Amino acid sequence: MKSKMILMMGGQGVGKGTHARRLIARDGYGYVETGAILRGLPPESPVAQIMARGELVPDADLFDVIAAELDKSGDVILDGFPRTLGQAQWLVQKYVDKFDIRVIYMDVPEDIMLARIEKRIREGGGRADDADAAIVRRRLDAFWKTTMPAIEWLRNAPGVKFADVDVTNENPDVNFERISAALS
Ligand code: AMP
């Protein structure tokens, strides 16, 4: 039987990590949190410097890292990968035979993303790349320009089940219920 792979997709601050951790606590998936893996690299490394500018890390620097995680995974949730069309196509081509791939697209307007990032700062979830408005803007631009084409491609990719989930409710429990319903 194939393992399950859930891709949590959406812009900054939509709640990908929060809801991923909740699904994991409930259902026991493995967790591949790309941003956290990359933040573990030494600050002087080229990848860390790209991240500090709010830009995307080149696809080629990620494939080995992600493959190492997935090759040892059973049921798994990916948070922050894929973020480009190339990453999406690589992932589906390489893993569609091993995993049932489901996409949860957490659709949220930009003003709500910005409000949630501000809340994350206020609540001390302190990440260096959240604190600077220009860097937040660059990450949002990368989402619309580079990640949206990947999401649109996944919507119709063979072997992929895609769900649009409205997570704009102010109550995270309501949003989590909607994600659970989309997965059931
Ligand atoms: P995140 O914690 O998911 O917001 O990721 C933080 C930063 O890590 C991003 O702004 C990018 O610089 C980098 N990053 C994370 N995931 C990816 C990815 N799939 N492709 C390219 N860069 C990434």
Side-chain angles (χ1 to χ4, degrees), residues 12 16 33-36 38-39 47 50-52 54-59 62 66 79-84 87 120 127 129 139:
Q12 278 73 40
K16 299 186 293 287
E33 188 186 2
T34 314
L38 297 175
R39 276 190 287 279
V47 165
I50 292 169
M51 291 170 73
E55 294 166 10
L56 291 176
V57 174
D59 289 356
L62 286 169
I66 300 295
D79 166 1
F81 189 95
R83 259 184 164 116
T84 69
Q87 292 173 16
R120 186 154 80 187
R127 274 175 47 175
D129 58 352
R139 284 160 57 215

Side-chain angles (χ1 to χ4, degrees), residues 14-15 18-19 22-23 26 106 116 119 165-182:
V14 299
T18 305
H19 293 300
R22 217 163 145 176
L23 285 170
R26 193 190 67 188
M106 304 169 73
R116 289 186 183 170
K119 183 162 176 264
V165 185
D166 174 353
V167 291
T168 54
N169 200 286
E170 282 180 20
N171 181 349
D173 293 345
V174 172
N175 297 327
F176 184 71
E177 282 312 313
R178 291 178 184 164
I179 290 170
S180 294

Side-chain angles (χ1 to χ4, degrees), residues 11-175:
Q12 278 73 40
V14 299
K16 299 186 293 287
T18 305
H19 293 300
R21 278 185 273 273
R22 217 163 145 176
L23 285 170
I24 288 161
R26 193 190 67 188
D27 299 333
Y29 291 90
Y31 188 27
V32 178
E33 188 186 2
T34 314
I37 295 171
L38 297 175
R39 276 190 287 279
L41 295 171
E44 64 280 8
S45 66
V47 165
Q49 289 175 22
I50 292 169
M51 291 170 73
R53 293 197 296 271
E55 294 166 10
L56 291 176
V57 174
D59 289 356
D61 290 336
L62 286 169
F63 291 156
D64 286 351
V65 176
I66 300 295
E69 297 287 335
L70 292 180
D71 291 344
K72 63 180 188 213
S73 288
D75 295 347
V76 65
I77 296 185
L78 268 65
D79 166 1
F81 189 95
R83 259 184 164 116
T84 69
L85 181 60
Q87 292 173 16
Q89 292 175 336
W90 172 84
L91 184 74
V92 172
Q93 191 189 20
K94 193 167 162 72
Y95 290 104
V96 75
D97 292 336
K98 181 178 173 202
F99 292 93
D100 273 323
I101 303 176
R102 309 188 69 147
V103 178
I104 297 294
Y105 172 40
M106 304 169 73
D107 191 1
V108 166
E110 190 173 289
D111 55 335
I112 298 186
M113 290 188 208
L114 285 166
R116 289 186 183 170
I117 292 172
E118 278 168 22
K119 183 162 176 264
R120 186 154 80 187
I121 296 169
R122 275 199 311 276
E123 290 176 356
R127 274 175 47 175
D129 58 352
D130 277 347
D132 180 324
I135 292 172
V136 168
R137 183 67 258 160
R138 207 172 295 146
R139 284 160 57 215
L140 284 169
D141 289 344
F143 173 70
W144 296 117
K145 186 165 162 262
T146 310
T147 305
M148 273 315 282
I151 291 172
E152 290 308 326
W153 181 81
L154 286 163
R155 190 180 285 285
N156 296 308
V160 174
K161 288 198 192 114
F162 188 102
D164 287 285
V165 185
D166 174 353
V167 291
T168 54
N169 200 286
E170 282 180 20
N171 181 349
D173 293 345
V174 172
N175 297 327

